[in-house]
Amino acid sequence: MKYIDEFRDGELAQSIARAIKAEADPASTYHIMEFCGGHTHAISRYGLEDLLPANVRMIHGPGCPVCVLPIGRIDAAIWLARQPGVILCTYGDMLRVPGSKRLSLLKAKAEGADVRMVYSTMDAIKLAQSNPDRQVVFFAIGFETTTPPTAVAIKQAQALELKNFSVFCNHVLTPSAITQILDSPEVRELGTVKLDAFIGPAHVSTIIGSRPYEYFAEEYQRPVVIAGFEPLDVMQAVRMLVRQINEGRFEVENEFARAVTRDGNEKAKSLVADMFELRRVFEWRGLGMVPYSALRLKEPYAAWDAERRWDVPQDNPGDNKACECGAILRGVKKPIDCKLFGTICTPENPMGSCMVSAEGACAAHWTYGRFRDLEKSE
Amino acid sequence: MTLPRRAHPRPLDIQNGRVDLTHGGGGRAMAQLVEELFIAAFDNEALNQRNDQGAFEVPGGRMVMTTDGYVISPLFFPGGDIGSLAVHGTVNDVAMAGAKPISLSAGFIIEEGFPLSDLKRIVTSMAKASKDAGVPVVTGDTKVVEKGKGDGIFITTAGIGIVPPGVEISGDKARPGDAILVSGTMGDHGVAVMSQRESLGFETEILSDSAALHTMVAAMVAAVPGIRVLRDPTRGGLASTLNEIAGQSGVGMLMEEALVPVKPQVLGACELLGLDPLYVANEGKLICICAEEDAPRLLDIMRSHPLGRDAARIGACREDAHHFVQMKTRMGGNRVVDWLAGEQLPRIC
């Protein structure tokens, strides 16, 4: 298939794998963090670990917007869904995420709340138009990729003078999260987690461009390669990073040039800048309170802000204490290091966020790669 | 007084009429619905006797019986509807034992207010599917539930069939070394239904593969009575069905991604929705597990049947205490192909 098959060519993957093996110094170990859940998913789904030499280690980062949303925000969405007359709509993979007391939007729906899955923000607008006597709340989540469509929906609601549409905004920002990881004591001081390089986000970068990563590369002296989500993209990015590490360079390189430019999508960026402002601080699951890492609607758009329309609870009950999602999201631990992994925490009965989303590190490892743990133990 | 010549002076107003509670009440209105719609459509000797059961001759052999419920949304989709699907699904469940389907029953649970025109469309399609398959609906039941207590229409079916002597097909018979075959492309039905449900306008229309597979199965069983396992990968798709068989038989499986047939347009739709075609439902495909030496012959038979043109050998069973279904990816790596957890939900980005 055009634009897909080209990036899933097995022979080409094998030849890149040979090149990585030839270039990787056997005396060194290369620790490469892929920030995005999309990359984590690709690595697991296509079995790319089998193609990499043992001294090139992939560390799964926090880049799944579903995984990083704290329990309190899920609880708040469930609370909104239960308000009289409300239809709460959101993207599919949010529905199963457990809040506190093992409740999820799917369970709230089964108990009578009107929760709908939508494919786009425009579906949410249509819902509001076709249900004038109900309040339609769009539970907006995601990184820079999904923010512009939320902005477009609000513009549309404004143009249509829709009084029954609002957004529960949970959009978060990638660069702040990367800074938080690099500034964490494990990475910066203790050295318990070695991070030599980053594979930079694909879809996020189509919006913000590659320029925001130049700061990391220089300030933290870590090379970054922006890469697409196809398996050959990931393999090529690993090769480019191994080469940069070998040469002692720390630059931002763009493997995903077919979709990403240095400055990104100016129109989308200006739309977002016009409508949203930074929250002073926002909690990320696993990373804690991250300054200036999330967005909220600006005052002129307050009419479409669910948090202003309702007195949305701001509590955060916190994660299950035995759950290691926090450490796994920061790359400090692997899924197999968590006592709950595969015992009481599975995709059917997820305890933590990393197991909930298909792109979470635990779900990806359980679903695609757990045979490796058994092979090692036998 | 002159008695009306017909039991029901006014025929059902199919075009504008709606199902109401009297249509399920057991009285004259229900009798009229059954007579003018169901019996007229399914029209066969056993049903026309209007008993509460259908009597028919059966040949000798082992008998199989199956039952199924259909609660699909939307009711009409590209390539089929709930009616034809109910016939195909039940015929296939019977056929997956290597059996010849003999007859079907159909129970309709209809929501008050359901348009008679839609009901007629469904029943007509169901009757055609049953006639095309040569498997009559010999008995049925109609209930009407109050508005808001149903989802338009639910259909439940039962099917019975006869297994020819010497055929012992069952999910626990796969052995290490056996070949795994599929009769065609994966995921067509699920994507066709989803494209309607979510109003996704794909450039190429993807049709459901809904079809009755019993004639292809009859040819396969006649040539190779020793087929180990037959199963149609419906809900949960190929991946879940293989996991089911691996567990039942106590084997592992290894398939090759490059050998699994998937239509490019289905692959494209799955990419767009963040779904994996291995987990998407099929309604006109089967999985066959057989001794390696029987595989070429069975593939030839499937490929010479119109419903098995894209049949392929996708892998083999193997020893594995964990009963993992694994797949060698196009990239050359290995991965587990796990059970589907809950329902496939589209990813956010």
Side-chain angles (χ1 to χ4, degrees):
Chain A
M1 192 176 7
K2 190 79 178 143
Y3 307 123
I4 293 183
D5 289 346
E6 299 92 319
F7 302 101
R8 295 183 187 174
D9 181 325
E11 280 179 31
L12 201 47
Q14 296 289 342
S15 93
I16 300 174
R18 282 192 294 275
I20 294 170
K21 200 172 175 187
E23 288 181 41
D25 175 1
S28 302
T29 304
Y30 300 78
H31 302 87
I32 299 173
M33 175 178 268
E34 83 278 0
F35 179 87
C36 266
H39 291 131
T40 307
H41 192 80
I43 290 165
S44 303
R45 180 173 169 183
Y46 299 101
L48 299 186
E49 271 182 57
D50 294 340
L51 275 70
L52 296 174
N55 60 335
V56 175
R57 293 192 191 150
M58 301 306 296
I59 297 163
H60 310 312
C64 161
V66 176
C67 297
V68 297
L69 211 57
I71 282 184
R73 300 299 282 187
I74 315 267
D75 282 355
I78 294 169
W79 182 89
L80 274 168
R82 286 172 160 175
Q83 296 312 298
V86 164
I87 300 174
L88 184 119
C89 48
T90 190
Y91 298 122
D93 47 5
M94 279 314 300
L95 301 181
R96 261 205 308 258
V97 185
S100 61
K101 298 180 190 140
R102 318 280 313 130
L103 198 64
S104 63
L105 284 167
L106 265 188
K107 285 184 182 161
K109 177 175 157 67
E111 288 173 6
D114 196 344
V115 177
R116 316 261 182 111
M117 183 183 79
V118 290
Y119 282 89
S120 75
T121 54
M122 287 301 113
D123 291 346
I125 291 287
K126 280 185 211 148
L127 259 181
Q129 284 178 294
S130 54
N131 292 277
D133 52 339
R134 308 277 301 275
Q135 281 293 333
V136 172
V137 180
F138 177 62
F139 179 19
I141 75 146
F143 294 119
E144 291 85 342
T145 329
T146 51
T147 313
T150 303
V152 170
I154 293 169
K155 282 269 181 211
Q156 186 78 3
Q158 191 180 29
L160 294 167
E161 295 180 9
L162 278 180
K163 302 261 185 281
N164 64 330
F165 176 79
S166 59
V167 167
F168 177 41
C169 182
N170 292 274
H171 287 298
V172 286
L173 303 170
T174 322
S176 331
I178 297 183
T179 310
Q180 185 84 350
I181 293 168
L182 287 168
D183 280 339
S184 72
E186 294 100 336
V187 175
R188 203 163 178 107
E189 294 154 26
L190 306 176
T192 44
V193 180
K194 206 160 177 303
L195 289 181
D196 299 312
F198 282 96
I199 295 182
H203 294 165
V204 163
S205 306
T206 62
I207 306 295
I208 64 172
S210 63
R211 194 196 287 270
Y213 305 101
E214 290 170 6
Y215 162 76
F216 300 110
E218 196 177 315
E219 172 68 17
Y220 296 93
Q221 304 203 348
R222 302 290 205 289
V224 178
V225 170
I226 313 287
F229 288 141
E230 292 299 327
L232 285 187
D233 290 321
V234 178
M235 292 296 289
Q236 180 63 13
V238 170
R239 185 185 179 185
M240 290 163 76
L241 288 169
V242 166
R243 193 173 289 173
Q244 278 209 52
I245 295 167
N246 285 348
E247 293 171 2
R249 290 186 288 123
F250 29 88
E251 294 164 14
V252 174
E253 291 180 310
N254 183 8
E255 184 279 339
F256 199 30
R258 64 187 187 276
V260 170
T261 60
R262 186 162 179 244
D263 290 316
N265 183 331
E266 295 291 1
K267 200 172 168 187
K269 284 197 298 186
S270 90
L271 182 65
V272 169
D274 168 54
M275 192 170 291
F276 295 95
E277 62 191 9
L278 285 171
R279 290 178 194 260
R280 231 172 49 74
V281 70
F282 191 78
E283 182 172 359
W284 289 52
R285 215 164 178 173
L287 299 183
M289 301 305 261
V290 182
Y292 302 110
S293 64
L295 300 172
R296 54 176 265 160
L297 285 162
K298 282 184 179 169
E299 188 59 37
Y301 297 95
W304 290 278
D305 187 348
E307 280 180 275
R308 286 174 166 113
R309 189 171 290 196
W310 282 274
D311 190 14
V312 178
Q314 302 287 337
D315 317 330
N316 191 7
D319 280 310
N320 180 322
K321 288 203 169 46
C323 173
E324 300 276 16
C325 278
I328 292 165
L329 285 168
R330 295 195 304 277
V332 177
K333 290 192 173 174
K334 292 182 192 151
I336 193 75
D337 299 328
C338 176
K339 285 193 185 103
L340 306 185
F341 178 78
T343 54
I344 57 168
C345 184
T346 63
E348 286 78 15
N349 182 37
M351 301 298 290
S353 53
C354 300
M355 191 60 98
V356 173
S357 158
E359 298 190 348
C362 292
H365 186 65
W366 175 261
T367 308
Y368 300 116
R370 68 184 188 274
F371 70 96
R372 290 193 184 89
D373 303 330
L374 294 162
E375 280 171 0
K376 277 178 206 155
S377 68
E378 277 164 7
Chain B
M1 189 176 96
T2 315
L3 287 171
R5 278 181 298 144
R6 293 158 49 98
H8 313 295
R10 272 188 300 188
L12 285 170
D13 180 0
I14 296 288
Q15 209 179 339
N16 303 308
R18 289 186 178 269
V19 171
D20 61 50
L21 290 170
T22 65
H23 288 117
R28 193 182 297 264
M30 181 167 150
Q32 183 178 16
L33 182 76
V34 169
E35 188 174 313
E36 292 183 17
L37 189 55
F38 294 114
I39 292 183
F42 294 119
D43 183 35
N44 61 70
E45 202 181 321
L47 186 70
N48 291 349
Q49 288 172 10
R50 293 162 166 73
N51 292 321
D52 283 345
Q53 67 293 116
F56 42 85
E57 301 291 330
V58 289
R62 277 194 312 139
M63 199 161 172
V64 293
M65 178 171 182
T66 182
T67 183
D68 214 339
Y70 296 85
V71 292
I72 192 169
S73 173
L75 300 171
F76 304 96
F77 49 83
D81 56 68
I82 189 172
S84 54
L85 186 70
V87 169
H88 294 153
T90 308
V91 164
N92 290 346
D93 282 349
V94 170
M96 292 308 123
K100 175 182 163 39
I102 302 286
S103 55
L104 304 172
S105 76
F108 296 84
I109 297 169
I110 315 167
E111 188 180 2
E112 180 187 15
F114 192 68
L116 277 171
S117 55
D118 281 355
L119 183 60
K120 176 156 188 187
R121 211 174 137 195
I122 289 166
V123 172
T124 306
S125 154
M126 197 169 177
K128 181 178 184 312
S130 138
K131 284 194 178 82
D132 289 349
V135 188
V137 175
V138 299
T139 186
D141 181 47
T142 309
K143 296 283 186 295
V144 177
V145 293
E146 281 176 50
K147 195 159 185 67
K149 293 193 172 170
D151 190 15
I153 184 167
F154 302 137
I155 301 177
T156 61
T157 55
I160 61 164
I162 305 292
V163 185
V167 173
E168 293 265 350
I169 293 169
S170 171
D172 60 358
K173 294 209 178 319
R175 296 289 168 263
D178 284 354
I180 306 168
L181 319 177
V182 292
S183 66
T185 52
M186 293 291 112
D188 302 13
H189 173 75
V191 168
V193 169
M194 221 171 299
S195 70
Q196 287 297 296
R197 188 159 58 200
E198 315 304 350
S199 315
L200 299 168
F202 294 124
E203 272 181 38
T204 320
E205 189 175 47
I206 298 163
L207 295 180
S208 164
D209 59 358
S210 178
L213 297 167
H214 59 307
T215 56
M216 183 166 70
V217 169
M220 292 166 69
V221 168
V224 183
I227 290 173
R228 314 257 213 248
V229 184
L230 287 176
R231 195 157 292 173
D232 51 344
T234 52
R235 272 184 313 162
L238 177 68
S240 299
T241 310
L242 287 181
N243 274 284
E244 209 173 271
I245 298 168
Q248 267 182 285
S249 294
V251 297
M253 295 181 182
L254 181 63
M255 56 173 162
E256 276 194 53
E257 188 176 21
L259 300 179
V260 179
V262 181
K263 287 196 176 105
Q265 56 269 46
V266 169
L267 199 57
C270 284
E271 280 299 320
L272 191 69
L273 298 170
L275 306 176
D276 186 339
L278 296 179
Y279 293 89
V280 177
N282 310 277
E283 289 291 347
K285 301 288 159 48
L286 63 80
I287 295 169
C288 169
I289 296 181
C290 63
E292 184 65 51
E293 62 268 26
D294 293 328
R297 199 156 164 227
L298 284 166
L299 278 176
D300 281 347
I301 292 166
M302 281 194 259
R303 285 172 184 159
S304 62
H305 191 280
L307 296 175
R309 276 193 297 262
D310 299 319
R313 182 191 179 286
I314 60 165
C317 301
R318 60 185 199 164
E319 298 266 7
D320 179 355
H322 306 288
H323 312 155
F324 278 140
V325 175
Q326 288 194 49
M327 182 162 84
K328 191 168 186 58
T329 71
R330 282 176 197 273
M331 300 292 107
N334 269 20
R335 60 168 262 204
V336 174
V337 177
D338 209 358
W339 286 93
L340 179 60
E343 212 181 330
Q344 272 211 111
L345 296 171
R347 294 202 314 268
I348 176 172
C349 73

